[in-house]
Amino acid sequence: MAFTPLHDRVLVERAESEEKTAGGLIIPDSAKDKPAEGIIVACGEGARKDSGELIPMSVKEGDKVLFGKWSGTEVTLDGKELLIMKESDIMGIIS
């Protein structure tokens, strides 16, 4: 992919939503919520302090993360729907 986020931004591929409930009922597309978790596809180098010192990113490519429901900006790159968001929009890493 020919896209590298700048500064403290990350590129996230949203996880697939569940097709069935725990009880086995099929969820129609109109009732599905977009999942608030995904995989980091690319990371920027990190934010900078006022002094110019680099603050390294806390996440890296391949991390599975949880983010806010309305976080990020949706973009389409190479036919994939992805999100660009700041590192601060990420709530945590799922292990």
Side-chain angles (χ1 to χ4, degrees):
M1 179 173 301
F3 181 81
T4 303
L6 296 177
H7 310 294
D8 64 338
R9 289 182 176 80
V10 295
L11 188 64
V12 178
E13 183 173 2
R14 205 183 283 267
E16 294 294 322
S17 59
E18 294 293 322
E19 299 290 325
K20 292 183 180 181
T21 64
L25 298 174
I26 296 174
I27 303 170
D29 288 337
S30 60
K32 289 181 187 174
D33 282 335
K34 290 185 177 180
E37 62 183 58
I39 305 291
I40 303 282
V41 176
C43 292
E45 61 183 13
R48 293 208 178 262
K49 295 180 182 178
D50 290 336
S51 63
E53 182 183 346
L54 184 67
I55 303 169
M57 299 286 278
S58 300
V59 295
K60 62 186 180 308
E61 289 181 27
D63 282 349
K64 187 173 184 180
V65 295
L66 186 67
F67 50 86
K69 187 173 184 176
W70 306 108
S71 298
T73 301
E74 293 183 355
V75 295
T76 302
L77 296 171
D78 295 337
K80 289 184 178 178
E81 289 188 17
L82 304 167
L83 292 167
I84 298 173
M85 65 181 70
K86 287 188 160 258
E87 182 184 25
S88 59
D89 290 339
I90 297 172
M91 292 184 227
I93 300 171
I94 301 171
S95 51

